């Protein structure tokens, strides 16, 4: 593991080019994913990381240090923490994964719109409570893959109480 202690507080802040996004984390729904997000933010892992996959009307995905969507942190993958208590609505932060449910690591996505088909299929770790207008300004990608040319980045990520 890391020498970095997981910070207290359940607000994850992303500073983007257009302003701050504040996400209320939900350790009651996804304690493992929330701890991972907080740990990585406190280590500076997300600083400068690209939103590599952004699909209009769907979501913005980031959290891959390579910016390709194929990588994650050096920590082990997380067990799925699916819930029926929360839904994939506009502003929801979910954990990205491969086809295998237990592969969430560092990548996440923020919903632009409600997408009920994701409910119970991905871990929900939080919801945007401030700055959704800044999420809406993230540069969109092309085609069904949503691959972004010259993507926007997370300028800085941190946890606050």
């Amino acid at each position: 593991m890391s020498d970095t202690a997981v910070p207290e507080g359940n607000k994850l802040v992303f500073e983007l080019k257009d302003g701050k996004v504040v996400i209320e984390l939900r350790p009651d729904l996804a304690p493992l994913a929330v701890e991972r997000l907080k740990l990585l933010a406190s280590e500076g892992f997300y600083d400068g990381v690209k939103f590599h996959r952004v699909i209009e009307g769907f979501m913005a995905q980031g959290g891959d240090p390579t910016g390709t969507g194929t990588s994650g942190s050096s920590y082990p993958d997380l067990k799925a923490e699916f819930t029926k208590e929360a839904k994939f609505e506009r502003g929801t932060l979910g954990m990205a994964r491969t086809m295998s449910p237990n592969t969430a690591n560092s990548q996440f996505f923020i919903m632009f719109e409600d997408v009920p088909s994701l409910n119970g299929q991905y871990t929900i770790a939080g919801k945007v409570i401030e700055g959704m207008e800044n999420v809406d300004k993230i540069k969109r990608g092309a085609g069904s893959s949503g691959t972004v040319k010259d993507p926007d980045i997370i300028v800085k990520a941190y946890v606050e109480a």
Side-chain angles (χ1 to χ4, degrees), residues 11 45 82 108 116 122 161:
K11 288 184 181 169
F45 179 88
F82 302 161
F108 60 86
Y122 290 82

Side-chain angles (χ1 to χ4, degrees), residues 43-73:
E43 292 178 340
F45 179 88
Y46 291 121
D47 298 354
V49 169
K50 299 170 182 171
F51 284 98
H52 63 273
R53 183 171 180 241
V54 184
I55 301 173
E56 180 65 46
F58 183 31
M59 57 89 216
Q61 184 172 330
D64 174 359
T66 68
T68 63
T70 61
S71 187
S73 76

Side-chain angles (χ1 to χ4, degrees), residues 31-105:
L32 300 174
V34 166
E35 181 177 10
R36 175 66 56 83
L37 289 163
K38 289 167 55 171
L39 176 65
L40 292 173
S42 70
E43 292 178 340
F45 179 88
Y46 291 121
D47 298 354
V49 169
K50 299 170 182 171
F51 284 98
H52 63 273
R53 183 171 180 241
V54 184
I55 301 173
E56 180 65 46
F58 183 31
M59 57 89 216
Q61 184 172 330
D64 174 359
T66 68
T68 63
T70 61
S71 187
S73 76
S74 60
Y75 296 112
D77 288 346
L78 299 169
K79 184 173 130 325
E81 297 175 286
F82 302 161
T83 184
K84 293 186 182 347
E85 294 176 40
K87 308 267 185 257
F88 278 94
E89 302 167 334
R90 176 171 164 74
T92 298
L93 180 134
M95 297 299 290
R97 62 173 178 81
T98 67
M99 294 301 283
S100 175
N102 299 311
T103 56
N105 187 291

Side-chain angles (χ1 to χ4, degrees), residues 74-141:
S74 60
Y75 296 112
D77 288 346
L78 299 169
K79 184 173 130 325
E81 297 175 286
F82 302 161
T83 184
K84 293 186 182 347
E85 294 176 40
K87 308 267 185 257
F88 278 94
E89 302 167 334
R90 176 171 164 74
T92 298
L93 180 134
M95 297 299 290
R97 62 173 178 81
T98 67
M99 294 301 283
S100 175
N102 299 311
T103 56
N105 187 291
S106 63
Q107 291 189 49
F108 60 86
F109 55 94
I110 301 172
M111 304 303 296
F112 290 127
E113 304 291 338
D114 298 3
V115 181
S117 63
L118 298 183
N119 295 341
Q121 305 294 313
Y122 290 82
T123 297
I124 293 175
K127 187 157 187 181
V128 174
I129 57 170
E130 290 174 41
M132 192 61 199
E133 69 277 8
N134 298 321
V135 174
D136 289 335
K137 294 176 186 171
I138 295 171
K139 185 178 180 184
R140 304 306 199 263

